[in-house]
Amino acid sequence: MTTIFYQAESNGETIQVSLQKNESFLDGLLRSGHEVPHGCKEGVCHSCMMKAIEGTPPENSQTDLTLNQIEQGLFLCCLCIPSGPIKATALNQSTQFIEAKVIEKSPLNEDIFRLRVENKVEHHPGQFLTLWNTNNVARSYSIASVPRADNFIEFHIKRIKNGAFSDWAWHQLNIGDPIKLQGPLGLCYYGNIPSEQPILLSGIGTGLAPLVGILRDAFLKNHIGEITLFIGAKSSNNFYLAEELTVLAKKHNNLSLYFVAQKINNASLPQPCKLIEGNIYQEVKQRFPSLKGYKVFLCGAVSFVKKMKSQCYMGGADIKDILSDAFLPYKP
């Protein structure tokens, strides 16, 4: 049984906890009744980062950290299952956050709403930020806005029944309220792509958020290559932003829009959007039997990203040209 020591930021008290078999540093503290800032519990949002004072964190708990962070002894306590004693302290949270005011909150469909906050963070469209509520609950959301064109940062948030963050944001977060932001993180953005390279964008649900940011960024950088956007959903009622995407498609004749629903209800989409009843994997494969030379962006649930990434790679896309943003389900 491994013993960990945690020095709380609030009062400097050192807490000692004996971890159970295969229990992480974070879970041990939470099980013992101690409040620790955290979010995804998957090492993605970086909300639970700590600094080791004594002992050595396992390598996997420093995955994706910068060399400078590793040299400082920083680690992600949700991934830390230590083999020996470790003493760690919380980071000074005041240096980790930027506070921004909410400037807009509006529904996009029955389940998803748009949240816009002041643009106070340097970022790329398609990256994600971690948002914190007043109950110290963190959730990560992808960025749909483009800093060079917008004076706000935009998120698309799916309302989850009794969701610790989304329910709070929908019912309690108001225009003018401050909200804490942390980040950004993520490598799924346009970057320096050759302007003539063809692009495939594919996502499901709120995976549309980062794809819209990437798409707008591409056009602002005068991308002239073919761009195709595939969005999938269970029902055609789940689609959103069709009007805004239509405006883009009418301005740029190199953009094609496909909305693929497993079931089409009494719904229609404006031209040139193409509404298809079917399976998004099959539709992409049928229209793109070869993806050699393409830049591919995939956003949505982990299962979707994993399957579509494999399909695109088998279809000829170079693995280095496949960028993704996988949305992790949050653990309680």
Side-chain angles (χ1 to χ4, degrees):
M1 186 175 291
T2 302
T3 301
I4 61 171
F5 302 88
Y6 171 62
Q7 186 173 313
E9 180 190 13
S10 56
N11 55 17
E13 175 189 0
T14 298
I15 299 160
Q16 178 176 333
V17 175
S18 295
L19 297 181
Q20 297 175 353
K21 185 178 180 180
N22 295 324
E23 186 174 41
S24 71
F25 198 115
L26 174 62
D27 286 338
L29 290 172
L30 295 176
R31 173 179 54 80
S32 302
H34 302 293
E35 290 189 9
V36 182
H38 67 281
C40 70
K41 288 191 173 183
E42 297 282 355
V44 174
C45 71
H46 291 201
S47 305
C48 66
M49 193 180 297
M50 293 185 181
K51 179 181 178 67
I53 301 172
E54 298 175 7
T56 303
E59 287 186 11
N60 71 301
S61 67
Q62 297 176 312
T63 302
D64 294 332
L65 299 189
T66 66
L67 180 60
N68 181 259
Q69 288 173 320
I70 294 172
E71 289 175 347
Q72 292 180 62
L74 303 187
F75 68 100
L76 304 175
C77 66
C78 68
L79 300 180
C80 179
I81 302 177
S83 57
I86 291 181
K87 182 177 181 181
T89 183
L91 298 181
N92 183 348
Q93 297 292 351
S94 63
T95 66
Q96 302 298 307
F97 301 129
I98 292 176
E99 195 171 85
K101 286 184 180 179
V102 175
I103 59 177
E104 183 182 332
K105 187 175 75 170
S106 57
L108 291 170
N109 64 17
E110 291 183 356
D111 300 313
I112 298 167
F113 64 95
R114 167 189 279 143
L115 183 69
R116 287 176 173 171
V117 305
E118 294 174 299
N119 184 4
K120 288 191 171 183
V121 181
E122 291 187 9
H123 63 277
H124 294 288
Q127 288 189 297
F128 63 88
L129 285 163
T130 299
L131 281 60
W132 292 77
N133 71 10
T134 52
N135 300 315
N136 210 29
V137 173
R139 294 292 184 266
S140 298
Y141 294 101
S142 297
I143 300 169
S145 48
V146 182
R148 63 188 295 185
D150 305 320
N151 62 352
F152 53 78
I153 301 176
E154 178 171 315
F155 309 98
H156 300 165
I157 300 178
K158 183 176 181 179
R159 294 175 60 188
I160 306 297
K161 186 177 181 180
N162 300 320
F165 186 93
S166 64
D167 228 24
W168 168 86
W170 178 249
H171 292 292
Q172 299 183 45
L173 187 62
N174 299 307
I175 294 174
D177 287 349
I179 187 168
K180 292 188 295 185
L181 312 176
Q182 186 180 24
L185 292 169
L187 299 174
C188 186
Y189 55 85
Y190 182 84
N192 297 312
I193 297 175
S195 63
E196 68 281 358
Q197 185 173 16
I199 295 176
L200 171 65
L201 305 144
S202 184
I204 58 173
T206 53
L208 179 57
L211 295 179
V212 166
I214 294 165
L215 181 60
R216 290 182 59 214
D217 195 28
F219 286 132
L220 285 171
K221 293 176 178 175
N222 300 314
H223 193 90
I224 60 174
E226 173 190 348
I227 303 178
T228 307
L229 172 65
F230 273 89
I231 290 296
K234 290 183 179 179
S235 165
S236 56
N237 293 335
N238 300 134
F239 293 128
Y240 69 97
L241 284 192
E243 295 288 348
E244 293 181 27
L245 288 167
T246 296
V247 171
L248 270 181
K250 288 181 177 179
K251 288 182 179 178
H252 305 279
N253 59 15
N254 56 330
L255 172 61
S256 300
L257 303 172
Y258 294 90
F259 290 76
V260 185
Q262 295 176 27
K263 180 180 180 182
I264 294 180
N265 298 314
N266 296 325
S268 61
L269 296 177
Q271 293 295 324
C273 298
K274 298 176 179 64
L275 180 59
I276 302 168
E277 186 171 60
N279 178 290
I280 189 170
Y281 304 103
Q282 293 176 358
E283 294 298 328
V284 170
K285 188 173 184 179
Q286 178 181 333
R287 284 169 171 76
F288 293 95
S290 173
L291 284 168
K292 186 176 181 180
Y294 272 76
K295 194 76 174 186
V296 179
F297 296 90
L298 307 173
C299 302
V302 172
S303 56
F304 165 79
V305 168
K306 183 177 180 180
K307 184 174 180 179
M308 188 62 83
K309 181 182 287 187
S310 175
Q311 178 176 311
C312 292
Y313 176 69
M314 295 300 293
D318 193 312
I319 194 65
K320 67 178 176 57
D321 280 332
I322 303 176
L323 302 178
S324 62
D325 184 3
F327 298 174
L328 296 167
Y330 278 84
K331 300 177 181 179

